[in-house]
Amino acid sequence: MRRVGVSVGFVFAIALLFPALVFAQASISGLVQDASGAVLPGVTVEASSPVMIEKTRTVVTDAAGRYSIVDLRPGTFEVTFSIPGFSTVKRDGIILTGSFDAQVNAEMKVGALEETITVSGASPVVDVTNTLTQTVLTKEQIEVLPGSRTIQGRAAMVPGVMVTSANTGVIAHGSASTDSHTMIDGYKSGMHLVGRGTGRLGVGSVTQTQEATIEELVYDAAGQGAEYAFSGVRMNMIPKEGSNTTRFETISYGSKETFEWNNLGDLQEAPYNFKYAPQEFFFDFNSVIGGPIKENKLWYFGSMAGNRSNTRILDTYFKPYSPSTPKECQDRPADDPSQWCQADTGAKLNLSETIRVTHQVSSKHELRYSFDNTRTDNLRGNYTTSGAKHSPEAAWRLPLWPTWFAQARWTAPITNRLLLEGGYAYQRGDFRVLYQPENPIDAVSKWDLARGRIEENIYFVYNNQERKQEAKFAASYVTGSHSIKAGFENRWANAIQENRYNGDVATLFTSNNTPLLASVTNGPSHNKMQFNWDGGAFIQDQWRLGNFTVNLGARYDKFNAFVPAQSVPDGYFVKGFSIPKLSNLPNWNDWATRTGVAWDVFGNGKTAVKAFAGRFIAGEAFSRTAQFNPIYSRQDSRVWTDLNSDGKVLNPDGTPQFEEIGIGSANFGSPDTVDKQDPDLKRDKNWTYELTGQQELTSRIQLFGGYYRRHFYDLAWTDNLATANFVDVNNPGDWIPFTYIGPADPLLPNGGNEAITMYNLQPGKVPALNPRQGYQTNAPDDFRTYNGFEVGSNIRLPKNAFAMASLTTGSTHIHSCTTDNPNNLRFCDQTIPYRYIWKFSYNFQVPYRINVGGTFQIYDTPGSGLFLAAPYYAANQTVTAAVMKIPVFTGGTNATGSQANVNLLAPNTIFADYYKIFDMRISKSMRVGRQNINALAEFDNLFNMRNVVAVTENYGQNWLRPASVQRGRNIRFGIQYRF
C-alpha cells in the first residue's frame, strides 16, 4: 500500500532568520524585463552552485516575465539570464538558507549573447511571497554561537521559542508543546509514540549531538501552510552531504569540575544548607568525512559521534545502606548525612553514527539515502518530578536503544516547470524506564507528599518497542507568476509496551512518613497498539498579483488506530482475559484551510506585510488508543495500612501484603471498566491567526514584528457516567458541598485560613462500590486562547558578524471547567498575564581571526513553558477527612474517595523568577594550507547568575524549597579541525 506526502512550510525571512520550505527547500524567483521596462518571456534562467550534485538547474520565464527555481539546497548560488538578441546577465552571491525565496530580478539590454554583464550586490533578505514565520541557523552561526548542540537545544535562539526542561517539545506564540516535532531532512524523527507522540528520546532529538553533520537548522515557529497538519514548532535538521572534494572534519569539547564556579550564595546557609553540585566532567566528539565516489554522480558522507559526562545533583545524596549506591559511597556513616556522597547521573559513553549517500541517477532524477543510529544509556535520571526530589535509588535507569532512522528521498525536475519528489523513512525508537538493577524485588516507590520526596524506587517503569514508517509524495508545477503543489503523506506504526512493577504496586504515598495510599496496577499489561493512518493530502496554490502574493491551501487529514486481538494473564490484583480486535480507536477525518497574503508594499522587495489564518489539528499517537485499550497499564489508588510497621507493602519474595491494601475500585482492571469513546469524538483543533511585517532599513539592518493569536477548541474530557454530575448549587447531582478551612500560613494569601468549598460524593457512589463508566467526549465550553506580540531586529556586519534581538510577550486564557468531580473546579478558569521573552545573540571578529559570539536571554523558567504549566507556584495540599477535621471524605480520586489534592494558592500569586542566562564563545581560527584549525572556549552562564529552576509545590514542611538551581559558570574547551 502506498502511503505518501510532503512537508513544506511558508515563512518570512529576516536576514539571518530566513523562511523555509523544509521538504522542498529554498527557491529563487524574480521578474525579467528589458531596458524599457517591458517583461521578457522565454528567457533562460540558470541557477548554479557547487552544493548541487547536478551543478545547475534551468527554467524559462513565463508570459509575464516571471520565473521560479525551486528545491535548491542551502548554499551560495549564481544566476544567469540569457536570450538571443540580449546580453547575458549574471548575478552572483545569492545566499539561500532553509526555504527562503530569494527575489532576483534582471534587466536585460540589447546586445550579443556572448556578452556577459555580471551584477554583484547584497543577497536578498526579505521574502515577499511567503507568509509564515521561520528561523534558520546556518552552520556558520552554529559554529560561533554558544549553547546546546542538539536540534531542540538550539531552538532557544529562535525568537519567541521556549525550550522546556521536560522530555517534550518546545513552544512559541502560544503553541502546544505536544504539537511540536523534530525532523531530519523533512521526516519526523526521534519522537516516541507514548501519549501525543512528542517525547524526544531518539535519533535527531535531545539525545543527538552530531554537530558536524548539520548544514543548517530550520525552525518553523508559527502557523504552517497546507503541507503540514500541525501548528506547533517544527524543528528540522538539514544534513550535510558529500561533494566532489573529499573533506574531513572533527569537533571535540571537554570540561571538568575545575572549570565550574559555585553560584549558590545564601542557599548554602540555613534553612537550606545546600552544597553546590557541579558537573564532574564532560566531553563529546564528532568526526565526519565526505567526498565523491564518482564525481558529479555519487557522493558519500559519514559521521561518528560520542559523548560522556557525569553531573552531581543538588540537595540529593547516596544513602550508604542502599544497594544501588556506588561502592565508594557505601562506607559512609549511615547516621551522618553530612558525610554522604552527592548523588550523580552516572557516566557512560554514548555513540551515534551516520552514513549518507547522494546519487544523481540521471539529469532528471536524484536519490538520497541515509542511515542514522544512536545508542544512549542514562544510568540515573529524573531526579525531580513536579518539584518532588528523587533519592538516587528512586532515579530511573533509561536505556535508549535500539534507536535508528533509515531514509530514502527522490527528487525529479521532470521539466523546467514540473517537479516531483517523494520518499520513505523507517525508524526504531525503543526505550526502557527501569528500576535501579540493584534494588530488591520488594522495593516500591515511596512518595511523601508532605516532604516532597520520592524514595526506595522509581514510581514509573516502562518497556516500549516501536516501529514507525513514513512515506511522502508531492508534485509541484511552477511558473513565474503561479505555482501549485499537491501531495500526500502517511505514517503507520506499532508499539509493544509493558509495565512490570514489583508486586504490581507502582507507588506508596505517605505524608510525613505516615502511610496514606497504595497505587496498584493491572499487572504487567503487555500489549500492542497500532495505527495505519496518520497523514493526509494537501493542495497549496500561490498566485502573484501585482505586489500581492496570495497563498491558498486545503488539507485533508486522517488518523485511524486499533488494538489487535490479544490476551493478558492473571496479575496480583486482576484476572486475565482476552480481547478481540478493537477498531477505530479513534478514527478521525478532518478538513482544514490555510489562507495567506503577502504584500510587497513598495514593489522593491524591502517592505513586506503579511496576514495568515489557518485551522490545524492536534498531534496524536496512542494517547486516545491507550485510554480505550483494556490491557494498557492502569492504576488504582487504595488505602494503605502498614499493619506490621515495616514501611513496606511487599513481602521479601515480592508478593503483596494483601491485608495492608484496602478495598479497590469495583471490577478494577476488567474490560468492562475501561473508558469508552463517544462515536462522535472530535480531534482537538486550533485556529491560528498572524499579522506580521518586516522592513529592510539598509542592506545590513532589518526590523520585524507581528501579532499572533491561537484559539484551541474541541478539547476532550472524560465523564464518569456512573455518577450524576454537579451543575450548580441548585442541581448538585451526586455531590454534597461542605466548607473546609485551609491552614494558617503567612505565605498564603491573607495569612491562610481560607474557606474552601469542597464536595463529598454520595457514599454509595464511590468507585469501590459503583463501577466506573468512563465516557470520553468533547467539552464544548473548554478552550485555550493566546494573544501575543513580537518585535525584533537583525543586523549583518562585515566579516560575518551579526546581531539578532527580539522581544516576545503573550497572555493565555485557559477555561477547563468541564469535569465530573466538582473538586476540580477550583481555579478552572484563569488568565496568565503577559509574560516576556527577551533574546539577543551576536558574533563579531576581532584581530588575529578571533571570533566572539554570545547569547543573552530572559524568559520563564524552563519547564514552565508547557502550555498548562504556568510560570507561577502552587501549594498542593493532600487532604483527608482527618486533615479537614470532618467525619468522612468521599470526594477524592482513590477507590473510596478518601484523599484529594487542593491547591491553596490562587494562580498569579507567587510567580517564578525570570530565568536569566548569558553564554559566550571565543574561538581562534588558524589556517595552514588546506587545513583549518579552530580552538575555542565556551562560557556557560558567564556572569555566574543564579536562578531557581524548580521548587517543591507540595504543601508541607518543604513547600517552596528549591528543587533545582541553575548551574554556575562553566568553561568548556574545544577544537575543530578541517581539511
Side-chain angles (χ1 to χ4, degrees):
M1 180 181 294
R2 290 182 172 176
R3 312 166 193 269
V4 282
V6 172
S7 306
V8 177
F10 292 117
V11 270
F12 76 64
I14 302 152
L16 302 166
L17 304 177
F18 293 122
L21 293 168
V22 174
F23 190 55
Q25 300 185 346
S27 59
I28 300 174
S29 304
L31 175 67
V32 183
Q33 300 170 296
D34 64 17
S36 70
V39 300
L40 285 177
V43 176
T44 299
V45 185
E46 181 183 86
S48 61
S49 174
V51 301
M52 297 194 303
I53 193 170
E54 69 271 37
K55 294 301 179 186
T56 63
R57 188 78 59 79
T58 303
V59 299
V60 176
T61 58
D62 64 10
R66 294 193 174 276
Y67 74 94
S68 186
I69 308 174
V70 300
D71 195 50
L72 301 175
R73 280 190 59 78
T76 301
F77 283 75
E78 181 180 85
V79 182
T80 303
F81 304 86
S82 61
I83 190 173
F86 290 83
S87 299
T88 298
V89 175
K90 184 176 293 185
R91 174 74 183 273
D92 58 13
I94 307 302
I95 300 172
L96 297 183
T97 63
S99 298
F100 179 61
D101 181 27
Q103 293 292 302
V104 180
N105 300 326
E107 179 183 302
M108 305 191 69
K109 298 179 180 180
V110 175
L113 185 63
E114 58 271 15
E115 179 185 0
T116 301
I117 302 172
T118 301
V119 180
S120 298
S123 182
V125 296
V126 175
D127 187 338
V128 295
T129 61
N130 298 317
T131 54
L132 306 183
T133 307
Q134 188 179 81
T135 297
V136 174
L137 296 176
T138 67
K139 60 185 178 183
E140 291 80 12
Q141 290 174 300
I142 293 170
E143 289 175 0
V144 298
L145 289 175
S148 170
R149 281 176 296 281
T150 64
I151 297 175
Q152 180 160 312
R154 286 289 185 182
M157 301 179 188
V158 178
V161 169
M162 287 188 61
V163 180
T164 69
S165 60
N167 172 35
T168 186
V170 304
I171 67 166
H173 308 133
S175 66
S177 65
T178 49
D179 287 340
S180 71
H181 295 87
T182 52
M183 293 179 166
I184 294 180
D185 213 10
Y187 285 77
K188 295 177 184 177
S189 177
M191 300 171 295
H192 59 63
L193 297 174
V194 178
R196 288 288 182 88
T198 56
R200 283 153 173 76
L201 296 174
V203 173
S205 66
V206 294
T207 60
Q208 188 86 332
T209 57
Q210 295 195 62
E211 177 180 339
T213 68
I214 299 171
E215 183 68 32
E216 63 183 21
L217 298 176
V218 182
Y219 299 94
D220 291 342
Q224 320 295 345
E227 297 88 344
Y228 293 101
F230 317 115
S231 66
V233 179
R234 192 170 66 253
M235 300 167 280
N236 186 34
M237 189 267 277
I238 304 298
K240 290 180 180 177
E241 295 184 346
S243 67
N244 284 329
T245 303
T246 299
R247 293 185 173 90
F248 173 80
E249 178 181 353
T250 187
I251 307 173
S252 61
Y253 300 88
S255 184
K256 60 185 298 184
E257 183 179 346
T258 308
F259 300 105
E260 187 160 332
W261 278 256
N262 184 342
N263 67 341
L264 290 181
D266 58 2
L267 293 179
Q268 299 170 107
E269 304 170 0
Y272 303 122
N273 300 313
F274 286 159
K275 179 182 178 181
Y276 187 69
Q279 185 176 65
E280 291 185 3
F281 66 88
F282 159 87
F283 79 85
D284 71 17
F285 69 90
N286 186 191
S287 298
V288 302
I289 187 170
I293 299 173
K294 185 176 181 180
E295 188 171 328
N296 295 331
K297 191 72 174 179
L298 198 62
W299 293 347
Y300 74 91
F301 182 87
S303 170
M304 166 70 78
N307 64 77
R308 187 170 184 264
S309 65
N310 190 26
T311 302
R312 296 181 201 161
I313 307 300
L314 181 73
D315 197 27
T316 306
Y317 298 89
F318 286 112
K319 299 172 182 175
Y321 47 82
S322 173
S324 65
T325 294
K327 290 184 179 180
E328 62 271 21
C329 295
Q330 292 181 353
D331 60 352
R332 308 300 174 94
D335 58 351
D336 187 3
S338 66
Q339 298 188 48
W340 294 0
C341 298
Q342 275 188 312
D344 61 33
T345 59
K348 192 166 184 177
L349 179 63
N350 300 308
L351 297 175
S352 301
E353 306 87 21
T354 294
I355 186 70
R356 185 167 292 110
V357 175
T358 306
H359 184 191
Q360 190 69 32
V361 181
S362 69
S363 62
K364 299 293 185 182
H365 298 274
E366 178 184 319
L367 292 172
R368 294 202 291 271
Y369 324 99
S370 65
F371 181 83
D372 296 85
N373 179 67
T374 185
R375 175 172 175 144
T376 302
D377 282 280
N378 294 297
L379 301 183
R380 288 179 290 272
N382 197 48
Y383 274 101
T384 303
T385 299
S386 300
K389 295 285 291 186
H390 293 242
S391 290
E393 77 280 1
W396 68 23
R397 177 156 294 192
L398 185 67
L400 303 174
W401 48 268
T403 49
W404 50 262
F405 179 81
Q407 183 186 104
R409 286 192 53 192
W410 165 66
T411 304
I414 302 300
T415 71
N416 56 26
R417 293 190 175 184
L418 178 62
L419 171 70
L420 303 180
E421 51 191 337
Y424 169 81
Y426 187 103
Q427 60 181 308
R428 286 289 299 268
D430 295 9
F431 69 87
R432 292 168 295 286
V433 181
L434 305 176
Y435 295 130
Q436 292 299 319
E438 301 85 358
N439 288 348
I441 61 173
D442 64 343
V444 174
S445 177
K446 190 178 290 184
W447 190 328
D448 195 293
L449 299 172
R451 295 187 299 117
R453 292 284 173 173
I454 301 173
E455 300 170 298
E456 299 192 16
N457 233 335
I458 187 67
Y459 67 94
F460 175 72
V461 293
Y462 210 112
N463 188 329
N464 184 73
Q465 302 175 41
E466 297 182 354
R467 293 161 180 83
K468 295 168 283 190
Q469 300 179 70
E470 183 178 6
K472 301 182 178 186
F473 176 80
S476 303
Y477 186 79
V478 182
T479 69
S481 304
H482 175 235
S483 64
I484 186 169
K485 185 171 189 175
F488 57 99
E489 64 181 336
N490 190 38
R491 187 172 68 139
W492 59 106
N494 67 70
I496 300 173
Q497 305 168 338
E498 67 177 7
N499 306 76
R500 292 187 176 273
Y501 292 95
N502 289 343
D504 290 350
V505 180
T507 311
L508 299 176
F509 292 97
T510 62
S511 178
N512 289 321
N513 296 318
T514 300
L516 290 177
L517 298 174
S519 183
V520 307
T521 72
N522 59 336
S525 61
H526 182 92
N527 72 95
K528 182 177 182 179
M529 295 181 290
Q530 196 166 326
F531 59 78
N532 286 335
W533 286 99
D534 177 21
F538 71 90
I539 185 168
Q540 185 80 37
D541 200 15
Q542 184 181 83
W543 285 90
R544 184 70 183 261
L545 303 172
N547 288 356
F548 291 89
T549 302
V550 180
N551 295 277
L552 302 175
R555 182 178 179 90
Y556 163 76
D557 283 287
K558 181 177 181 64
F559 184 89
N560 183 275
F562 67 95
V563 178
Q566 52 198 297
S567 300
V568 62
D570 291 347
Y572 287 115
F573 300 97
V574 298
K575 290 292 185 182
F577 57 86
S578 298
I579 60 171
K581 178 181 178 180
L582 304 175
S583 300
N584 300 324
L585 296 179
N587 181 36
W588 285 322
N589 296 275
D590 292 281
W591 287 92
T593 60
R594 314 285 162 78
T595 303
V597 177
W599 180 25
D600 184 359
V601 179
F602 302 109
N604 58 6
K606 296 184 177 182
T607 305
V609 176
K610 308 174 184 183
F612 171 82
R615 191 174 84 160
F616 298 86
I617 56 174
E620 183 55 65
F622 285 130
S623 67
R624 300 285 188 259
T625 313
Q627 185 176 354
F628 309 132
N629 177 3
I631 301 179
Y632 192 78
S633 181
R634 308 193 187 286
Q635 298 186 16
D636 189 45
S637 295
R638 306 178 180 185
V639 172
W640 171 39
T641 305
D642 190 11
L643 297 176
N644 58 3
S645 300
D646 65 349
K648 294 180 176 291
V649 76
L650 301 184
N651 297 308
D653 63 358
T655 59
Q657 300 176 22
F658 291 103
E659 67 279 5
E660 294 192 352
I661 300 173
I663 186 173
S665 299
N667 299 331
F668 167 69
S670 74
D672 296 336
T673 57
V674 71
D675 289 347
K676 303 301 187 293
Q677 175 186 225
D678 180 349
D680 298 321
L681 178 69
K682 299 175 183 177
R683 194 170 187 173
D684 300 12
K685 302 177 186 68
N686 76 85
W687 271 98
T688 296
Y689 307 92
E690 302 169 22
L691 180 62
T692 60
Q694 58 188 116
Q695 173 68 52
E696 179 183 335
L697 295 182
T698 71
S699 61
R700 297 188 182 278
I701 301 175
Q702 298 81 34
L703 304 177
F704 64 93
Y707 164 72
Y708 301 88
R709 176 180 173 86
R710 295 181 197 262
H711 179 73
F712 294 80
Y713 65 103
D714 278 346
L715 307 181
W717 78 294
T718 303
D719 186 8
N720 181 7
L721 301 181
T723 61
N725 292 335
F726 176 90
V727 178
D728 53 42
V729 293
N730 297 316
N731 187 9
D734 287 330
W735 297 89
I736 306 167
F738 67 92
T739 300
Y740 162 53
I741 304 300
D745 190 321
L747 294 178
L748 292 173
N750 302 314
N753 288 321
E754 180 185 1
I756 302 171
T757 300
M758 298 283 291
Y759 299 86
N760 267 328
L761 184 60
Q762 295 283 358
K765 294 288 188 175
V766 297
L769 303 175
N770 186 32
R772 174 183 170 81
Q773 300 176 37
Y775 185 77
Q776 187 172 76
T777 185
N778 295 105
D781 296 326
D782 286 358
F783 63 87
R784 185 173 73 256
T785 301
Y786 169 89
N787 289 281
F789 302 88
E790 186 171 271
V791 295
S793 65
N794 292 271
I795 303 173
R796 291 193 303 178
L797 301 171
K799 297 183 179 180
N800 294 321
F802 61 85
M804 304 181 288
S806 66
L807 166 63
T808 308
T809 182
S811 173
T812 304
H813 181 193
I814 302 170
H815 183 88
S816 182
C817 298
T818 306
T819 177
D820 64 350
N821 187 331
N823 289 310
N824 297 328
L825 292 174
R826 184 170 168 84
F827 309 138
C828 69
D829 186 88
Q830 58 178 282
T831 298
I832 302 173
Y834 280 90
R835 303 288 289 174
Y836 299 92
I837 303 173
W838 300 83
K839 297 192 177 187
F840 177 66
S841 301
Y842 67 89
N843 177 70
F844 60 88
Q845 191 174 99
V846 298
Y848 306 105
R849 300 185 68 182
I850 296 175
N851 278 293
V852 180
T855 61
F856 176 67
Q857 302 180 57
I858 302 176
Y859 52 95
D860 278 319
T861 300
S864 64
L866 298 177
F867 62 77
L868 290 183
Y872 47 75
Y873 297 138
N876 297 316
Q877 184 188 30
T878 300
V879 295
T880 61
V883 170
M884 294 186 288
K885 299 177 182 179
I886 58 176
V888 65
F889 178 54
T890 58
T893 55
N894 58 308
T896 57
S898 62
Q899 177 184 306
N901 291 323
V902 177
N903 182 8
L904 303 173
L905 193 66
N908 306 320
T909 302
I910 302 179
F911 277 93
D913 291 336
Y914 278 107
Y915 190 89
K916 299 168 286 293
I917 182 74
F918 179 67
D919 300 330
M920 186 172 72
R921 175 183 283 196
I922 300 176
S923 57
K924 162 67 176 173
S925 180
M926 297 162 281
R927 184 181 293 275
V928 181
R930 290 183 57 198
Q931 302 177 82
N932 192 314
I933 301 173
N934 194 30
L936 63 91
E938 188 166 300
F939 301 81
D940 292 342
N941 192 12
L942 178 66
F943 296 147
N944 206 34
M945 292 179 282
R946 186 189 77 195
N947 299 280
V948 175
V949 177
V951 302
T952 298
E953 296 186 64
N954 294 110
Y955 185 77
Q957 66 190 58
N958 289 325
W959 181 49
L960 298 183
R961 180 183 178 89
S964 179
V965 176
Q966 177 185 20
R967 284 176 52 203
R969 181 192 304 115
N970 175 279
I971 305 176
R972 65 183 65 175
F973 300 93
I975 190 165
Q976 181 182 53
Y977 173 75
R978 288 195 184 106
F979 76 85

